[in-house]
Amino acid sequence: TAVIRELFKQSDKHLGKSIRVHGWVRTVRVSKSFGFIELNDGTFFANLQVVFEENLDNFAEVARLVTGSAITVTGTLVESPGAKQPFELKAESIEVVGTCAPDYPLQKKRHTFEFLRTIAHLRPRTNTFAAVFRVRSLAAFAIHKFFQERNFVYVHTPVITGSDAEGAGEMFRVTTLDFDRTPRNEAGQVDFTRDFFGRETGLTVSGQLEAETYCQAFGRVYTFGPTFRAENSHTPRHAAEFWMIEPEIAFADLQDDMRLAEDMMKYVIGYVLDNAPEEMDFFNKFVDKSLLARLANVLQSDFGHVTYTEAIDILKNAPEKFEYPVEWGADLQTEHERYLAEKHMQKPVFVTDYPKQIKAFYMRLNDDQKTVAAMDLLVPGVGEIIGGSQREERLAYLEQRMAELGLSHEDYWWYLDLRKYGGTKHAGFGLGFERLIMYLTGMGNIRDVISFPRTPKNAEF
Ligand code: 4AD
Ligand code: MG
C-alpha cells in the first residue's frame, strides 16, 4: 500500500508500477464512460487524481460516490495528460470502504473557521486544518529535536499537583464526581480542600517548579505537556487548556535564557519551512500574505531587546491610541505587546526587567529592588509567546517574597530545598505551543490551532 505523500515526493519510483492506496474522496466528476476522483489520504497536501473507466465491475457504484466516501484503489501510476497534475492513478479496481451520508457538512465550498469549530471532529479533513495540524506535529518534533541535540533531558511533570506554580490562583481544582466519597467537615458539608485523598490539588498551570527540581540534577531539562488555566477568557489567544514547552537551565542567567529562546525559535521556524513547504505556501496564499517574508526575515536578523521601562516610554510616545492605559507598574496588554513587536520593532522582541509586582514570586529580584530578571518574548501578530526569567536562587530573598505574597512554606518546602542543597543560579522559560503555531501559520485564533479547544462554550467534544 502506498501513501500519497510518497507518490508525490518520489513519483519516478512508482511510475508504471501497480499500487494500492486508501483514502477519502474529495470530488468526483463522471461522464458516460469514465470519471475522475480527487483522492486524499491525509498524508499530503495535494490530492491524487484517480481515473476510472467503464471496465470497472462496479462502475455504477463508483460513479455514484460522493465527497467524503472512503475507498481503496488498486491501479497503475501513469503520467497524466492533464496539465494540472504530473501523474494519475489508472484504476483497475475501486473498493468502496465507507459510504458518506448526504448530510455530510464538508461539501466542496469554503467554510468559515467559526462554522468549522462547531464540527471540530470533522475539520481536520479540510485543507486548512490538515495543514495546521501537520505543522503542529512537525513543530512538536522540531522542539524535541532541538533540545535533544543539545543534551537536554525531557522531563514529564505531573498534571495533578499540590502547588500553584504561578501563585496566581488560576488553578482548576481536582475533585471526584462521586459525592459519597468526598470528604466532609463536621457540619457535613463537602470539604473540597481535602478532596484528593486528603489533600487539595489542582491541574497544573505550569511544570516549571517541578522542572527546576530536575534541572538541579540534570543541568538542562525541558518539559512539553498540557497545562491548564482557569481563566474565563474570550480572546483569540487564551485557552483553558494549552500545551507548554518549559526548558530550565542551571548555571545560567537571563542572557543565557534569551539566547536559548532565540535559538529555539529560529530552529523551529527553519525546520517547519524546510519540512512543510507546501503547507507554508498554502498559509502564505490563503491565511497571511506576508507570512513567508516575515519568517524569512526573522531567520536573518537578531531579536530586539528592550527593558520594560523603555517599553513604557516607547508606548507613551506612540502615535497609536490604546484602549488600556500605559503606566509604569501596569502589565502590558495585547495591544501594547503587538504595537511593540509589529510597529515599533517589526520583529520578535524581548521585553526584560518587569516590575516585581506584576510577575511571579520565583523571579530573581534585580539590584534596583523594584524589578525582576524577567523576559517576555513578543512577536508580531500574537504578542506574548514566551514568558521566562532567571529564578531567585537566594533562599532569604525567595522566602521574603513568598511571605509578602502569602505563599505558605508548607506548600513549597521542596522548592525551597533546592536553594539549600547545592543551589545554582538558573533560568528558564515557557513557550505557549498554540501561540507558536499561530505565529508559524498566521492563523488568528487559538481555537483553530488546537484539536479540541477548551475555551468557554468549547468543551462539547
Ligand atoms: O507567562 P506564563 O504564565 O509563564 C509560565 O507559566 C512560566 N512558569 C514559564 C516558565 O518560566 N517556565 O506562560 C508561558 C507562556 C505564555 O507566554 C503564553 O505563550 C502561554 O504560555 N500561555 C497561554 N497560552 C494559551 N492560553 C493561555 N491561557 C495561556 N497562558 C499562558
Ligand atoms: Mg506571561
Side-chain angles (χ1 to χ4, degrees):
T1 307
V3 296
I4 292 174
R5 181 177 200 85
E6 291 299 320
L7 298 183
F8 273 88
K9 296 278 169 178
Q10 294 188 295
S11 57
D12 9 334
K13 227 177 83 183
H14 300 278
L15 270 175
K17 303 244 168 75
S18 174
I19 57 170
R20 191 166 77 132
V21 290
H22 305 296
W24 291 274
V25 172
R26 284 291 175 84
T27 58
V28 192
R29 284 176 293 143
V30 208
S31 62
K32 258 199 262 74
S33 58
F34 65 98
F36 296 103
I37 295 172
E38 294 293 329
L39 190 69
N40 194 286
D41 72 351
T43 63
F44 195 54
F45 215 85
N47 301 319
L48 174 65
Q49 173 154 294
V50 176
V51 195
F52 61 97
E53 290 175 6
E54 256 178 327
N55 60 353
L56 285 188
D57 310 339
N58 58 345
F59 180 80
E61 183 193 21
V62 171
R64 280 196 310 272
L65 280 175
V66 293
T67 301
S69 315
I71 59 174
T72 298
V73 186
T74 311
T76 313
L77 197 69
V78 297
E79 278 180 38
S80 173
K84 274 178 74 184
Q85 60 282 318
F87 50 82
E88 59 192 24
L89 183 59
K90 225 167 144 7
E92 276 131 38
S93 82
I94 297 181
E95 184 196 342
V96 178
V97 177
T99 56
C100 190
D103 62 352
Y104 187 50
L106 295 178
Q107 298 305 327
K108 200 182 157 73
K109 66 167 198 153
R110 275 209 150 203
H111 299 284
T112 64
F113 294 158
E114 287 79 9
F115 169 69
L116 291 171
R117 272 174 226 149
T118 68
I119 49 168
H121 60 310
L122 299 175
R123 67 180 182 170
R125 305 172 181 207
T126 64
N127 285 339
T128 305
F129 288 90
V132 166
F133 290 103
R134 188 176 309 289
V135 165
R136 187 175 164 118
S137 164
L138 284 170
F141 181 70
I143 281 164
H144 282 296
K145 199 157 143 39
F146 173 84
F147 285 116
Q148 297 284 337
E149 282 170 0
R150 285 160 187 74
N151 295 304
F152 282 68
V153 170
Y154 177 31
V155 184
H156 295 119
T157 49
V159 167
I160 298 176
T161 171
S163 56
D164 180 349
E166 292 299 296
E170 286 186 330
M171 263 167 109
F172 285 108
R173 172 173 281 137
V174 171
T175 184
T176 167
L177 290 179
D178 181 356
F179 270 86
D180 296 337
R181 288 176 33 188
T182 312
R184 315 236 158 203
N185 61 21
E186 275 147 35
Q189 293 155 329
V190 171
D191 181 1
F192 288 112
T193 66
R194 291 189 297 127
D195 210 13
F196 189 81
F197 311 111
R199 244 208 95 106
E200 182 177 26
T201 56
L203 297 178
T204 188
V205 294
S206 153
Q208 178 195 318
L209 306 191
E210 292 91 346
E212 280 186 55
T213 71
Y214 273 67
C215 173
Q216 295 301 333
F218 289 101
R220 321 174 118 205
V221 299
Y222 70 105
T223 71
F224 190 165
T227 49
F228 307 85
R229 304 263 166 115
E231 51 187 345
N232 190 3
S233 292
H234 297 257
T235 83
R237 52 172 224 170
H238 287 92
E241 175 178 322
F242 62 98
W243 286 61
M244 188 152 57
I245 294 99
E246 296 185 274
E248 195 70 29
I249 43 180
F251 307 99
D253 62 15
L254 193 66
Q255 297 304 319
D256 301 316
D257 204 30
M258 288 190 282
R259 255 192 305 275
L260 179 68
E262 182 164 345
D263 288 349
M264 178 201 64
M265 289 293 292
K266 288 179 172 170
Y267 184 93
V268 177
I269 293 169
Y271 189 89
V272 167
L273 288 172
D274 286 348
N275 289 279
E278 293 84 6
E279 283 80 2
M280 296 305 284
D281 279 343
F282 173 86
F283 292 126
N284 197 59
K285 212 152 143 198
F286 295 110
V287 177
D288 177 352
K289 294 216 162 16
S290 52
L291 179 70
L292 290 182
R294 190 166 68 238
L295 294 178
N297 225 351
V298 168
L299 291 183
Q300 275 151 26
S301 54
D302 294 335
F303 289 6
H305 290 260
V306 294
T307 64
Y308 168 88
T309 303
E310 289 163 353
I312 293 296
D313 258 8
I314 293 166
L315 293 167
K316 279 199 161 145
N317 294 314
E320 206 102 337
K321 195 133 179 51
F322 297 117
E323 190 185 333
Y324 291 89
V326 176
E327 220 175 311
W328 201 97
D331 209 355
L332 300 182
Q333 301 294 323
T334 305
E335 55 173 352
H336 306 138
E337 295 176 347
R338 290 188 56 173
Y339 177 83
L340 290 167
E342 275 159 44
K343 305 252 168 70
H344 186 77
M345 285 282 181
Q346 302 185 356
K347 62 179 181 183
V349 54
F350 288 107
V351 178
T352 59
D353 306 294
Y354 284 73
K356 67 174 181 181
Q357 65 269 25
I358 56 171
K359 287 292 181 188
F361 70 94
Y362 50 70
M363 295 192 181
R364 192 179 197 280
L365 189 64
N366 286 329
D367 292 342
D368 63 13
Q369 309 287 313
K370 287 193 300 220
T371 61
V372 287
M375 62 95 159
D376 276 10
L377 179 65
L378 317 180
V379 295
V382 178
E384 177 189 345
I385 194 168
I386 283 177
S389 75
Q390 187 171 338
R391 317 307 189 190
E392 184 56 84
E393 83 283 14
R394 299 162 297 184
L395 183 61
Y397 280 85
L398 184 58
E399 282 178 329
Q400 193 197 327
R401 188 70 187 134
M402 287 174 60
E404 279 167 22
L405 295 169
L407 300 175
S408 80
H409 194 276
E410 194 186 312
D411 288 341
Y412 297 91
W413 62 273
W414 50 274
Y415 186 67
L416 294 166
D417 267 2
L418 301 178
R419 278 71 186 162
K420 283 165 57 185
Y421 306 138
T424 70
K425 75 182 173 162
H426 62 290
F429 64 81
L431 166 68
F433 190 52
E434 285 70 26
R435 293 195 187 171
L436 173 68
I437 305 305
M438 291 170 72
Y439 182 59
L440 289 172
T441 60
M443 295 292 284
N445 196 309
I446 195 165
R447 291 162 184 77
D448 298 329
V449 297
I450 185 164
S451 55
F452 295 99
R454 295 291 93 110
T455 51
K457 296 213 188 82
N458 268 311
E460 175 173 1
F461 296 91

mmCIF file of all heavy atoms in Angstrom, residues 4-23:
data_model
loop_
_atom_site.group_PDB
_atom_site.id
_atom_site.type_symbol
_atom_site.label_atom_id
_atom_site.label_comp_id
_atom_site.label_asym_id
_atom_site.label_seq_id
_atom_site.Cartn_x
_atom_site.Cartn_y
_atom_site.Cartn_z
ATOM 1 N N ILE A 4 0.031 8.772 -0.376
ATOM 2 C CA ILE A 4 0.056 9.780 -1.435
ATOM 3 C C ILE A 4 1.270 10.712 -1.300
ATOM 4 O O ILE A 4 1.868 11.120 -2.287
ATOM 5 C CB ILE A 4 -1.296 10.540 -1.460
ATOM 6 C CG1 ILE A 4 -2.389 9.561 -1.934
ATOM 7 C CG2 ILE A 4 -1.229 11.760 -2.361
ATOM 8 C CD1 ILE A 4 -3.801 10.097 -1.894
ATOM 9 N N ARG A 5 1.666 10.977 -0.079
ATOM 10 C CA ARG A 5 2.858 11.814 0.116
ATOM 11 C C ARG A 5 4.070 11.235 -0.619
ATOM 12 O O ARG A 5 4.793 11.947 -1.321
ATOM 13 C CB ARG A 5 3.150 11.933 1.603
ATOM 14 C CG ARG A 5 4.348 12.798 1.899
ATOM 15 C CD ARG A 5 4.582 12.953 3.395
ATOM 16 N NE ARG A 5 5.403 14.116 3.600
ATOM 17 C CZ ARG A 5 4.947 15.348 3.695
ATOM 18 N NH1 ARG A 5 3.666 15.572 3.639
ATOM 19 N NH2 ARG A 5 5.763 16.365 3.849
ATOM 20 N N GLU A 6 4.278 9.937 -0.458
ATOM 21 C CA GLU A 6 5.429 9.280 -1.093
ATOM 22 C C GLU A 6 5.312 9.333 -2.618
ATOM 23 O O GLU A 6 6.316 9.499 -3.315
ATOM 24 C CB GLU A 6 5.528 7.820 -0.635
ATOM 25 C CG GLU A 6 5.912 7.656 0.830
ATOM 26 C CD GLU A 6 7.287 8.263 1.138
ATOM 27 O OE1 GLU A 6 8.210 8.117 0.306
ATOM 28 O OE2 GLU A 6 7.411 8.914 2.198
ATOM 29 N N LEU A 7 4.095 9.184 -3.117
ATOM 30 C CA LEU A 7 3.896 9.233 -4.567
ATOM 31 C C LEU A 7 4.356 10.583 -5.119
ATOM 32 O O LEU A 7 5.007 10.661 -6.151
ATOM 33 C CB LEU A 7 2.426 8.994 -4.919
ATOM 34 C CG LEU A 7 1.847 7.636 -4.505
ATOM 35 C CD1 LEU A 7 0.411 7.508 -4.981
ATOM 36 C CD2 LEU A 7 2.700 6.484 -5.051
ATOM 37 N N PHE A 8 4.006 11.652 -4.399
ATOM 38 C CA PHE A 8 4.372 12.981 -4.880
ATOM 39 C C PHE A 8 5.861 13.252 -4.683
ATOM 40 O O PHE A 8 6.499 13.876 -5.521
ATOM 41 C CB PHE A 8 3.542 14.053 -4.163
ATOM 42 C CG PHE A 8 2.226 14.300 -4.840
ATOM 43 C CD1 PHE A 8 1.102 13.548 -4.510
ATOM 44 C CD2 PHE A 8 2.110 15.272 -5.834
ATOM 45 C CE1 PHE A 8 -0.115 13.772 -5.136
ATOM 46 C CE2 PHE A 8 0.889 15.505 -6.466
ATOM 47 C CZ PHE A 8 -0.222 14.747 -6.120
ATOM 48 N N LYS A 9 6.403 12.785 -3.565
ATOM 49 C CA LYS A 9 7.802 13.104 -3.276
ATOM 50 C C LYS A 9 8.757 12.254 -4.108
ATOM 51 O O LYS A 9 9.876 12.656 -4.366
ATOM 52 C CB LYS A 9 8.082 12.911 -1.779
ATOM 53 C CG LYS A 9 7.295 13.854 -0.859
ATOM 54 C CD LYS A 9 7.951 15.223 -0.750
ATOM 55 C CE LYS A 9 6.996 16.196 -0.065
ATOM 56 N NZ LYS A 9 7.551 17.534 0.125
ATOM 57 N N GLN A 10 8.326 11.041 -4.489
ATOM 58 C CA GLN A 10 9.224 10.156 -5.237
ATOM 59 C C GLN A 10 8.459 9.487 -6.369
ATOM 60 O O GLN A 10 8.382 8.256 -6.436
ATOM 61 C CB GLN A 10 9.768 9.065 -4.307
ATOM 62 C CG GLN A 10 10.675 9.608 -3.222
ATOM 63 C CD GLN A 10 11.330 8.460 -2.472
ATOM 64 O OE1 GLN A 10 10.647 7.691 -1.809
ATOM 65 N NE2 GLN A 10 12.635 8.347 -2.589
ATOM 66 N N SER A 11 7.899 10.303 -7.259
ATOM 67 C CA SER A 11 6.993 9.728 -8.258
ATOM 68 C C SER A 11 7.732 8.788 -9.226
ATOM 69 O O SER A 11 7.175 7.794 -9.665
ATOM 70 C CB SER A 11 6.254 10.824 -9.014
ATOM 71 O OG SER A 11 7.185 11.686 -9.619
ATOM 72 N N ASP A 12 9.014 9.081 -9.559
ATOM 73 C CA ASP A 12 9.720 8.210 -10.523
ATOM 74 C C ASP A 12 9.828 6.775 -10.022
ATOM 75 O O ASP A 12 9.855 5.831 -10.796
ATOM 76 C CB ASP A 12 11.115 8.718 -10.906
ATOM 77 C CG ASP A 12 11.588 9.882 -10.091
ATOM 78 O OD1 ASP A 12 10.714 10.614 -9.576
ATOM 79 O OD2 ASP A 12 12.811 10.067 -9.958
ATOM 80 N N LYS A 13 9.892 6.619 -8.701
ATOM 81 C CA LYS A 13 9.997 5.277 -8.139
ATOM 82 C C LYS A 13 8.721 4.460 -8.375
ATOM 83 O O LYS A 13 8.731 3.243 -8.387
ATOM 84 C CB LYS A 13 10.233 5.389 -6.626
ATOM 85 C CG LYS A 13 11.356 4.498 -6.118
ATOM 86 C CD LYS A 13 11.607 4.704 -4.642
ATOM 87 C CE LYS A 13 10.656 3.907 -3.767
ATOM 88 N NZ LYS A 13 10.871 4.164 -2.324
ATOM 89 N N HIS A 14 7.609 5.186 -8.516
ATOM 90 C CA HIS A 14 6.319 4.495 -8.573
ATOM 91 C C HIS A 14 5.686 4.499 -9.957
ATOM 92 O O HIS A 14 4.770 3.733 -10.211
ATOM 93 C CB HIS A 14 5.341 5.138 -7.571
ATOM 94 C CG HIS A 14 5.820 5.083 -6.156
ATOM 95 N ND1 HIS A 14 5.674 3.968 -5.375
ATOM 96 C CD2 HIS A 14 6.475 5.988 -5.385
ATOM 97 C CE1 HIS A 14 6.204 4.201 -4.180
ATOM 98 N NE2 HIS A 14 6.687 5.411 -4.162
ATOM 99 N N LEU A 15 6.175 5.369 -10.846
ATOM 100 C CA LEU A 15 5.552 5.476 -12.175
ATOM 101 C C LEU A 15 5.625 4.143 -12.909
ATOM 102 O O LEU A 15 6.646 3.474 -12.906
ATOM 103 C CB LEU A 15 6.243 6.559 -13.011
ATOM 104 C CG LEU A 15 5.645 7.966 -12.884
ATOM 105 C CD1 LEU A 15 6.482 8.975 -13.665
ATOM 106 C CD2 LEU A 15 4.194 8.002 -13.348
ATOM 107 N N GLY A 16 4.507 3.746 -13.506
ATOM 108 C CA GLY A 16 4.466 2.497 -14.261
ATOM 109 C C GLY A 16 4.199 1.278 -13.394
ATOM 110 O O GLY A 16 3.989 0.183 -13.910
ATOM 111 N N LYS A 17 4.212 1.468 -12.071
ATOM 112 C CA LYS A 17 4.026 0.315 -11.172
ATOM 113 C C LYS A 17 2.563 0.184 -10.750
ATOM 114 O O LYS A 17 1.802 1.148 -10.758
ATOM 115 C CB LYS A 17 4.867 0.511 -9.906
ATOM 116 C CG LYS A 17 6.348 0.711 -10.169
ATOM 117 C CD LYS A 17 7.180 -0.423 -9.582
ATOM 118 C CE LYS A 17 8.613 -0.392 -10.093
ATOM 119 N NZ LYS A 17 9.395 0.682 -9.469
ATOM 120 N N SER A 18 2.250 -1.018 -10.336
ATOM 121 C CA SER A 18 0.917 -1.252 -9.805
ATOM 122 C C SER A 18 0.938 -0.938 -8.304
ATOM 123 O O SER A 18 1.810 -1.410 -7.585
ATOM 124 C CB SER A 18 0.539 -2.716 -10.039
ATOM 125 O OG SER A 18 -0.691 -2.967 -9.405
ATOM 126 N N ILE A 19 0.012 -0.120 -7.848
ATOM 127 C CA ILE A 19 -0.010 0.262 -6.430
ATOM 128 C C ILE A 19 -1.442 0.241 -5.896
ATOM 129 O O ILE A 19 -2.409 0.175 -6.651
ATOM 130 C CB ILE A 19 0.570 1.684 -6.200
ATOM 131 C CG1 ILE A 19 -0.201 2.694 -7.046
ATOM 132 C CG2 ILE A 19 2.048 1.731 -6.488
ATOM 133 C CD1 ILE A 19 0.146 4.106 -6.682
ATOM 134 N N ARG A 20 -1.498 0.325 -4.568
ATOM 135 C CA ARG A 20 -2.801 0.368 -3.917
ATOM 136 C C ARG A 20 -2.788 1.553 -2.947
ATOM 137 O O ARG A 20 -1.797 1.726 -2.215
ATOM 138 C CB ARG A 20 -2.990 -0.932 -3.134
ATOM 139 C CG ARG A 20 -4.383 -1.139 -2.618
ATOM 140 C CD ARG A 20 -4.533 -2.570 -2.169
ATOM 141 N NE ARG A 20 -3.866 -2.727 -0.875
ATOM 142 C CZ ARG A 20 -4.425 -3.324 0.180
ATOM 143 N NH1 ARG A 20 -5.629 -3.831 0.086
ATOM 144 N NH2 ARG A 20 -3.775 -3.428 1.311
ATOM 145 N N VAL A 21 -3.832 2.342 -2.957
ATOM 146 C CA VAL A 21 -3.928 3.443 -1.982
ATOM 147 C C VAL A 21 -5.314 3.459 -1.329
ATOM 148 O O VAL A 21 -6.315 3.121 -1.956
ATOM 149 C CB VAL A 21 -3.684 4.846 -2.612
ATOM 150 C CG1 VAL A 21 -2.245 5.039 -3.016
ATOM 151 C CG2 VAL A 21 -4.596 5.086 -3.791
ATOM 152 N N HIS A 22 -5.292 3.833 -0.055
ATOM 153 C CA HIS A 22 -6.542 4.077 0.666
ATOM 154 C C HIS A 22 -6.735 5.587 0.776
ATOM 155 O O HIS A 22 -5.747 6.313 0.885
ATOM 156 C CB HIS A 22 -6.458 3.560 2.114
ATOM 157 C CG HIS A 22 -6.076 2.132 2.233
ATOM 158 N ND1 HIS A 22 -6.859 1.122 1.746
ATOM 159 C CD2 HIS A 22 -5.009 1.549 2.824
ATOM 160 C CE1 HIS A 22 -6.284 -0.037 2.038
ATOM 161 N NE2 HIS A 22 -5.156 0.186 2.683
ATOM 162 N N GLY A 23 -7.987 6.036 0.812
ATOM 163 C CA GLY A 23 -8.181 7.464 1.015
ATOM 164 C C GLY A 23 -9.648 7.850 1.012
ATOM 165 O O GLY A 23 -10.535 6.988 0.968
#
